[in-house]
Amino acid sequence: MPRRDDIHKILIIGSGPIVIGQACEFDYSGAQACKALMAEGYELVLINSNPATIMTDPIMAQRTYIEPIEPKFVEMIIERERPDAILPTLGGQTALNCAMDLSKSGVLEKYGVKMLGASAEAIAKAEDRQLFKDCMIKIGLDVPRSGLARNTAEAEEALKIVSLPAIIRPAFTLGGKGGGVAFNEEEYRKFVQTGLDASPIREILIEEYLAGWKEFELEVMRDRMDNVVIICSIENIDPMGVHTGDSVTLAPAQTLTDREYQEMRNAAIKCIREIGVETGGSNVQFAVNPKNGRMVVIEINPRVSRSSALASKATGFPIAKIAAKLAVGYTLDEIPNDITAKTPACFEPTIDYVAVKIPRFTFEKFKGAEAILGSSMKSVGEVMALGRTFKEALQKGYRSLETGVAGLDDKLTNISDEQLRQGLITAVPDRLFFAKEALKRNMSVEEVASLCQIDKWFIYNVKQLIDMEVKIAAAAQIDAEFMLEIKRYGFGDKQIAKLRKSTEMEVRKQRLALGVKPVYKLVDTCAAEFEAYTPYYYSTYERTDESIASA
Amino acid sequence: MAKIAFADGLVLKGKGLGASGITHGEVVFNTAMTGYQEVLTDPSYAGQIVTMTYPLIGNYGVNTEDMESRKVFLSGFVVREASEIVSNWRCNEITVDEYLKRNNIVAIQDVDTREITKHIRTAGAMTAVISSGDESNEELVAKAKAAPDLVGRDLVKDVIEQNSYIWQDRGVYNVVVYDCGIKYNILRQLAEAGCRVEVVPATASSADILARKPDGVLLGNGPGDPAAVKYAVETVRGILGKVPIFGICLGHQMLGLGLGGKTFKLKFGHHGGNHPVKDLATGKIMITVQNHGFCVDIDSLGGDRNVEITHLNLNDGTCEGINHKHIPAFSVQFHPEAGPGPHDARTLFGRFCALMKEHKK
């Protein structure tokens, strides 16, 4: 099916100012969409209050409004420009909320503006917690168990459904005063009482407590012929309870068997269909109980999200660009995969490296902010690193953070055992550094994993880094083969120099003399199954180089 | 230390994995990011050395539920990094290394698997040896050259169970599965669709199959060159038109051959879980699981107006499914049962049941 010809002029809503939780990723997705739609010959009108974005470059749209992203301003623009359609799914939550307001107030209907990507109904289903939950139960997907109680008897009934541990939240109180997490029946009864007392309407919400569960995300795309593909799976290293924007995450998922991954894939597909996101990308989040594998759906973002930007860069699949094309009526099989040129965009990228995302925090700039992670995002940026192993990507990522570390360094050698223990059990930003220090103090992989509730697979990889450090320090000399092995663990020359009591320049000289140099491998969406035409590389230490010298 | 040496002279050094010794086979690459256990136990890989393109293999260990057959049938295994630790609540704490040792499979890790993939992609599937011994590169390359490739080889007889057996003893439809190296997930899917499932070896005759009074026959997957398994094609011809037939992978190729078509060898085959296939009747696209080196030639069936092409591979336009217009028989090149890979095509088991229902009337 070709593109829609019933629309000619499209209004795109940007994401506005850069704030914590909504940064340049939406400029990236918005700019991608503008380029794609412009190339299709549509007339574009853009609103974004942030003039410092790429999206607001004059060439990105026929007309650009630097105005506040608020319904009344957008209405004025609609009145003046009379667009046929509005595309609200590429500018983050701000754009989505604004479009929803315009839909609810009847502005879109008044001016005959069609909503592309997701309908108001779909957005409502995704955003309203209860509606979402009802939808998931309707299609047979598991969600966190919960119940409402207005007295102790109802709370006892609710406990039978929810079971412990449970989180008790009094209704209509600021900051959840009076509630808490109950791990035993005694605590439960206590929080039920204090919760009921604290709530002005004597009502409490009781929900299954998922802290410590593993968290996963799937990036899903759907076209108007109902073809659905998964672009990328993402595993959060930090457990549930830490905002995914603040988690160290990696793609693809590492600790799911195919059976579990496919179950998650099926659930994500059911979810996007039931919510009714007609075209474009969505992000579906899952929690998995590491003890028994029970999987629950947490939420769906019916739009291009922060994770979409990560997934795009991690796989080479341009989610925002394709989402824009799907929004105007193309189907996935009609859009070529830019990288392979010969195969269609209707496929699921497969990658042959690991992408690690690490958040960047600047607590020092926010006096009074507590350096503890929770359900609201606190990081101000992030890095993504690609490597052929998790160890390599992780160390590259930390090195790129510009926080003074050259990799997973020893920066906590001076803390007491008690501080170390606290660091492990608290959701602090640098938990893997705490894990490393604990392992160096002879704590077992299992103990560290259970204290910080991070999968032991990741902790074991940290241990392998420590073992390698010991080998580097102890080696009589480093030959080419050993140097390559060290590099495959992601160690930079600076780290090696410290372990060898040498200098970075000296190690570099030695390494080059041994002929150990990085090679460049392609990000090609297909693990080398097809020839790739887009030059998009990452460095690693392997046998063959794929880069082509341009001069 | 271990080496993998290709027939065309390429030799890569790595570290030994699994059993020590030497092994040979035709090298293919699989692009699935999950499901190495299912790949290892898929009988269709007999005679082949499988390179996993995803670099980290073994993270979630091995479990007892995800077996695709009774043991490991592939000839060798190549990975970038095999995990030393396993983490998953279903696994039984066995690493891939240990699992390969127990199954006496020679494997190699710490090699540039992307280089191997590109090599196969450009030069085509070729034979190689993996050795943990101290042979010279020249010796190993000579052995790789001498190793048989898949063309003309009947590997089916090496992987099948010798006797027939009942997988599920009750069901709405009585399905006889013609075993050429069947994956358990096909049997699981049939059972789930409500079929009584009986498995007969590929050595069974058409008379033997028909004597079991099946409502339908499933022609299963299996290893090697379909044209080399002439007896199986004979059996297929013997049941064609007498009972509803559903072919999967090698079973699809056998149906193609049975209907008078031809098969040919693909340059490096399709092995993975992300291949888009279009259902020509509905226009819908399924992301499918694929594992085949041979393919039914569309043109060879083009002359037969009774046979229609039902599915196409969107990556390379090859034939992914056929249907006979007048006799109850259809088949697909991909794996609707999945395991590993997406479940998009599982509805085909329902289609098979519908065909049996219609034919039963």
Side-chain angles (χ1 to χ4, degrees):
Chain A
M1 212 174 294
R3 47 162 269 190
R4 286 172 74 156
D5 283 328
D6 57 332
I7 48 178
H8 306 284
K9 195 170 184 179
I10 302 170
L11 173 64
I12 294 180
I13 310 182
S15 63
I18 287 181
V19 293
I20 291 179
Q22 191 164 279
C24 53
E25 56 267 26
F26 297 106
D27 183 30
Y28 168 77
S29 55
Q32 288 248 319
C34 287
K35 279 189 202 163
L37 295 179
M38 191 85 109
E40 286 299 326
Y42 290 103
E43 190 180 345
L44 299 186
V45 180
L46 174 69
I47 171 171
N48 195 342
S49 60
N50 185 353
T53 54
I54 306 287
M55 197 188 199
T56 47
D57 281 357
I59 52 158
M60 287 292 182
Q62 271 80 3
R63 200 173 301 240
T64 300
Y65 289 85
I66 312 281
E67 298 288 348
I69 302 172
E70 287 169 22
K72 66 174 176 184
F73 290 99
V74 181
E75 182 177 356
M76 281 157 63
I77 294 167
I78 290 175
E79 190 182 3
R80 185 169 156 179
E81 295 286 344
R82 301 296 173 119
D84 304 302
I86 185 169
L87 184 56
T89 50
L90 293 155
Q93 198 60 38
T94 306
L96 205 63
N97 289 350
C98 185
M100 277 303 271
D101 288 342
L102 292 166
S103 167
K104 278 184 202 152
S105 64
V107 170
L108 297 184
E109 201 185 356
K110 181 177 165 191
Y111 294 99
V113 181
K114 298 179 190 81
M115 217 146 136
L116 299 180
S119 66
E121 193 200 354
I123 297 169
K125 273 198 212 168
E127 303 271 307
D128 183 297
R129 293 222 157 252
Q130 194 56 46
L131 272 180
F132 176 71
K133 211 168 167 172
D134 294 345
C135 283
M136 294 304 100
I137 291 168
K138 187 182 141 201
I139 55 173
L141 298 182
D142 205 353
V143 288
R145 291 189 285 255
S146 64
L148 268 177
R150 280 166 300 241
N151 52 51
T152 47
E154 284 180 8
E156 290 302 316
E157 279 307 303
L159 181 61
K160 283 181 196 154
I161 302 163
V162 176
S163 79
L164 294 170
I167 183 160
I168 295 104
R169 289 197 187 95
F172 295 104
T173 56
L174 270 179
K177 200 169 150 271
V181 179
F183 290 91
N184 55 49
E185 290 195 16
E186 195 184 326
E187 283 174 351
Y188 183 75
R189 293 197 182 108
K190 186 186 87 187
F191 285 127
V192 164
Q193 206 51 60
T194 54
L196 287 170
D197 291 346
S199 169
I201 56 165
R202 285 196 74 76
E203 189 176 284
I204 49 172
L205 175 72
I206 299 148
E207 199 170 55
E208 194 174 6
Y209 185 59
L210 304 180
W213 284 36
K214 290 158 70 78
E215 188 171 352
F216 295 89
E217 299 167 65
L218 292 187
E219 286 295 316
V220 195
M221 295 213 86
R222 184 181 188 212
D223 70 18
R224 66 166 168 170
M225 286 294 285
D226 195 27
N227 296 309
V228 187
V229 292
I230 308 293
I231 305 306
C232 187
S233 64
I234 298 171
E235 178 163 353
N236 291 14
I237 292 182
D238 290 283
M240 282 290 292
V242 174
H243 191 284
T244 123
D246 287 349
S247 283
V248 178
T249 64
L250 74 168
Q254 302 295 321
T255 59
L256 292 176
T257 65
D258 184 67
R259 205 181 267 213
E260 293 136 22
Y261 171 68
Q262 298 306 335
E263 195 191 323
M264 199 173 272
R265 182 183 179 277
N266 293 346
I269 292 172
K270 270 179 157 177
C271 184
I272 194 172
R273 284 185 174 146
E274 178 61 26
I275 294 301
V277 178
E278 285 161 357
T279 66
S282 288
N283 161 269
V284 189
Q285 294 178 15
F286 296 91
V288 173
N289 185 336
K291 293 192 182 78
N292 57 21
R294 187 176 150 226
M295 178 186 86
V296 297
V297 189
I298 301 299
E299 65 172 3
I300 180 171
N301 284 306
R303 55 174 170 84
V304 168
S305 68
R306 186 181 317 103
S307 297
S308 318
L310 175 72
S312 295
K313 289 168 195 159
T315 60
F317 188 102
I319 293 177
K321 177 184 173 178
I322 306 283
K325 289 197 169 200
L326 299 181
V328 295
Y330 284 102
T331 53
L332 283 161
D333 57 317
E334 291 172 336
I335 305 169
N337 177 342
D338 288 341
I339 289 184
T340 62
K342 291 187 184 106
T343 57
C346 190
F347 80 118
E348 301 195 341
T350 186
I351 62 180
D352 55 3
Y353 47 84
V354 181
V356 173
K357 176 215 83 175
I358 306 174
R360 171 77 145 90
F361 299 93
T362 49
F363 285 107
E364 70 278 6
K365 288 186 182 164
F366 297 96
K367 290 243 155 49
E370 208 182 8
I372 291 177
L373 308 178
S375 53
S376 58
M377 188 168 152
K378 292 182 176 175
S379 64
V380 296
E382 62 193 30
V383 297
M384 185 189 83
L386 307 184
R388 289 276 283 167
T389 64
F390 168 62
K391 294 177 276 285
E392 182 185 24
L394 185 75
Q395 295 230 72
K396 269 170 102 174
Y398 276 119
R399 189 149 55 239
S400 325
L401 266 186
E402 294 184 1
T403 54
V405 292
L408 197 65
D409 295 350
D410 300 318
K411 59 173 198 176
L412 301 166
T413 47
N414 295 326
I415 65 171
S416 70
D417 284 357
E418 184 44 38
Q419 283 172 311
L420 180 59
R421 211 182 158 77
Q422 275 306 317
L424 290 173
I425 60 174
T426 317
V428 291
D430 294 330
R431 217 117 61 111
L432 288 177
F433 288 88
F434 282 85
K436 187 185 178 201
E437 185 61 28
L439 292 168
K440 287 189 84 163
R441 294 187 194 179
N442 289 322
M443 210 183 261
S444 72
V445 168
E446 281 71 21
E447 196 178 356
V448 173
S450 99
L451 284 176
C452 48
Q453 297 178 312
I454 291 175
D455 194 292
K456 67 178 175 183
W457 189 85
F458 299 110
I459 304 296
Y460 186 82
N461 271 269
V462 172
K463 185 180 177 293
Q464 286 181 310
L465 291 175
I466 298 171
D467 293 346
M468 182 55 92
E469 286 180 355
V470 172
K471 273 169 76 181
I472 296 169
Q477 68 171 58
I478 297 177
D479 61 10
E481 205 165 312
F482 186 38
M483 182 61 93
L484 260 174
E485 201 182 341
I486 295 170
K487 285 289 166 184
R488 282 178 192 143
Y489 273 57
F491 285 96
D493 292 346
K494 198 171 169 183
Q495 289 170 288
I496 301 169
K498 202 172 168 207
L499 292 160
R500 302 289 297 174
K501 304 205 178 353
S502 174
T503 64
E504 188 178 355
M505 279 319 289
E506 191 50 44
V507 172
R508 184 183 156 81
K509 231 167 75 186
Q510 243 179 19
R511 174 169 63 76
L512 293 176
L514 292 169
V516 176
K517 284 192 286 187
V519 298
Y520 294 85
K521 295 279 190 191
L522 268 169
V523 170
D524 63 4
T525 73
C526 61
E529 183 171 6
F530 305 103
E531 201 173 347
Y533 296 96
T534 303
Y536 177 179
Y537 298 88
Y538 66 96
S539 72
T540 187
Y541 287 82
E542 283 279 21
R543 229 179 73 104
T544 51
D545 192 291
E546 298 185 347
S547 62
I548 302 157
S550 52
Chain B
M1 222 237 334
K3 286 183 203 167
I4 177 164
F6 293 79
D8 69 347
L10 177 69
V11 180
L12 276 78
K13 273 197 298 188
K15 283 185 185 151
L17 182 69
S20 49
I22 185 164
T23 186
H24 62 79
E26 185 177 286
V27 181
V28 293
F29 59 85
N30 186 302
T31 60
M33 293 186 286
T34 52
Y36 55 82
Q37 185 183 344
E38 292 90 328
V39 168
L40 285 171
T41 54
D42 180 348
S44 293
Y45 283 112
Q48 294 180 314
I49 291 173
V50 179
T51 302
M52 299 303 288
T53 61
Y54 186 65
L56 308 181
I57 298 297
N59 302 358
Y60 53 77
V62 177
N63 63 55
T64 49
E65 297 164 356
D66 298 348
M67 300 292 289
E68 277 306 318
S69 71
R70 60 199 184 278
K71 64 173 200 136
V72 177
F73 283 101
L74 48 73
S75 302
F77 200 51
V78 187
V79 302
R80 168 71 252 177
E81 182 183 273
S83 185
E84 292 173 8
I85 191 176
V86 297
S87 180
N88 188 279
W89 74 97
R90 284 200 299 137
C91 77
N92 41 13
E93 303 298 324
I94 299 173
T95 61
V96 157
D97 183 40
E98 177 62 25
Y99 187 66
L100 291 167
K101 281 194 173 88
R102 287 185 193 183
N103 280 277
N104 202 27
I105 301 294
V106 179
I108 185 170
Q109 66 167 328
D110 261 6
V111 289
D112 189 342
T113 45
R114 187 172 166 92
E115 180 183 2
I116 294 177
T117 304
K118 282 185 76 175
H119 191 63
I120 298 297
R121 182 186 87 205
T122 45
M126 72 174 85
T127 51
V129 294
I130 301 174
S131 172
S132 58
D134 50 12
E135 299 95 335
S136 70
N137 289 0
E138 293 70 32
E139 276 176 89
L140 290 175
V141 170
K143 283 192 163 134
K145 269 186 194 155
D149 68 6
L150 295 183
V151 175
R153 262 171 92 195
D154 172 14
L155 291 160
V156 168
K157 60 176 177 14
D158 301 338
V159 300
I160 53 173
E161 301 252 23
Q162 296 308 311
N163 300 311
S164 63
Y165 58 96
I166 309 272
W167 176 268
Q168 172 154 297
D169 62 0
R170 234 168 294 178
V172 186
Y173 306 104
N174 180 24
V175 174
V176 168
V177 174
Y178 185 61
D179 175 15
C180 297
I182 196 81
K183 278 175 68 194
Y184 284 169
N185 227 26
I186 292 177
L187 307 179
R188 292 184 193 115
Q189 289 303 309
L190 285 172
E192 200 164 291
C195 303
R196 175 186 186 271
V197 183
E198 184 175 8
V199 184
V200 302
T203 47
S205 66
S206 52
D208 183 0
I209 291 171
L210 294 172
R212 292 166 202 261
K213 305 231 177 313
D215 295 318
V217 174
L218 188 138
L219 308 174
N221 65 293
D225 185 350
V229 198
K230 294 209 167 58
Y231 55 92
V233 178
E234 274 316 303
T235 304
V236 172
R237 284 205 182 107
I239 58 170
L240 255 179
K242 296 181 178 125
V243 60
I245 292 174
F246 177 22
I248 292 175
C249 201
L250 184 70
H252 159 77
Q253 295 161 2
M254 286 174 175
L255 182 64
L257 291 171
L259 289 168
K262 285 194 173 64
T263 54
F264 67 97
K265 193 170 190 224
L266 293 163
K267 190 173 179 190
F268 52 88
H270 299 158
H271 311 274
N274 68 343
H275 287 249
V277 164
K278 190 170 205 161
D279 180 335
L280 297 177
T282 62
K284 292 270 293 180
I285 292 137
M286 301 177 281
I287 302 301
T288 66
V289 182
Q290 308 238 343
N291 178 21
H292 62 109
F294 294 83
C295 190
V296 174
D297 183 358
I298 292 182
D299 296 336
S300 73
L301 288 167
D304 188 345
R305 289 208 186 142
N306 295 319
V307 180
E308 57 184 344
I309 308 292
T310 55
H311 295 81
L312 274 185
N313 186 310
L314 292 184
N315 283 342
D316 62 6
T318 52
C319 172
E320 290 285 352
I322 55 174
N323 181 46
H324 198 283
K325 286 178 182 165
H326 308 298
I327 56 177
F330 73 102
S331 62
V332 288
Q333 180 61 69
F334 50 89
H335 287 265
E337 80 283 3
H343 299 172
D344 291 8
R346 283 201 171 162
T347 48
L348 286 168
F349 289 94
R351 186 174 147 193
F352 182 41
C353 289
L355 187 68
M356 289 188 285
K357 186 177 178 183
E358 197 187 302
H359 200 72
K360 233 179 162 175
K361 276 184 203 162

